[in-house]
Amino acid sequence: MDVFRERYAKVGGFDERIFMYGEDVDLSYRLRGRGYSLAYVPAAVFEHDTYSEPSQFKALQFHGSSLANVLLRLRFGTLADVLAIPGMWGELGRSAKQNGVHRGHLRTTLRLLRHAPAFLLTRRRRGAVRAAAAAPPGRVGAEGVPGRWGRGPG
């Protein structure tokens, strides 16, 4: 992600409450909400070392992306996105237990409860979010949870 410093400052930079997996999506929504356009540059190359094994479970990624998904739904999602949160969070808790990271899910739940009110208070008007999501080129959306919970805000 490459952003002009002045634009980054105008939208308040990265939200420190979203750390690891989702901060770029939040920043993109806020940039578009201020009328800036985003560009996809297919020629840009970025290498990112991630997994040592193809099916490796990464607790930080699981908890960070789960929290970011919910916080983004609270700030930018539709009413249906927000209403889906309790069921989605319950399923994530079951998955955390199966993967042996249920304590981390409890800590993430406490972070969610601490930050949720602020994200609801900074909720964006639907028209602005819809315009931001539809603005060319490309489309920016939250990392969604697959299956019946949809694709996330946008």
Side-chain angles (χ1 to χ4, degrees), residues 22-115:
E23 64 275 15
D24 54 339
V25 176
D26 178 62
L27 182 64
S28 296
Y29 267 126
R30 290 186 288 118
L31 285 164
R32 283 191 166 184
R34 288 282 183 101
Y36 299 115
S37 63
L38 304 178
Y40 170 66
V41 183
V45 176
F46 181 80
E47 286 191 34
H48 186 267
D49 293 328
T50 178
Y51 298 97
S52 57
E53 300 173 23
S55 60
Q56 181 181 357
F57 181 84
K58 294 177 79 174
L60 178 62
Q61 181 180 13
F62 177 83
H63 299 305
S65 62
S66 298
L67 179 62
N69 183 294
V70 172
L71 293 176
L72 291 169
R73 285 171 183 262
L74 291 173
R75 182 175 281 165
F76 301 107
T78 65
L79 179 60
D81 291 326
V82 173
L83 293 176
I85 291 171
M88 180 184 78
W89 200 254
E91 287 201 22
L92 289 168
R94 283 186 281 287
S95 179
K97 189 171 184 176
Q98 289 173 350
N99 286 289
V101 293
H102 56 282
R103 285 193 178 124
H105 186 69
L106 291 174
R107 283 191 299 274
T108 304
T109 300
L110 293 175
R111 286 182 64 203
L112 171 60
L113 293 173
R114 187 171 62 242
H115 298 313

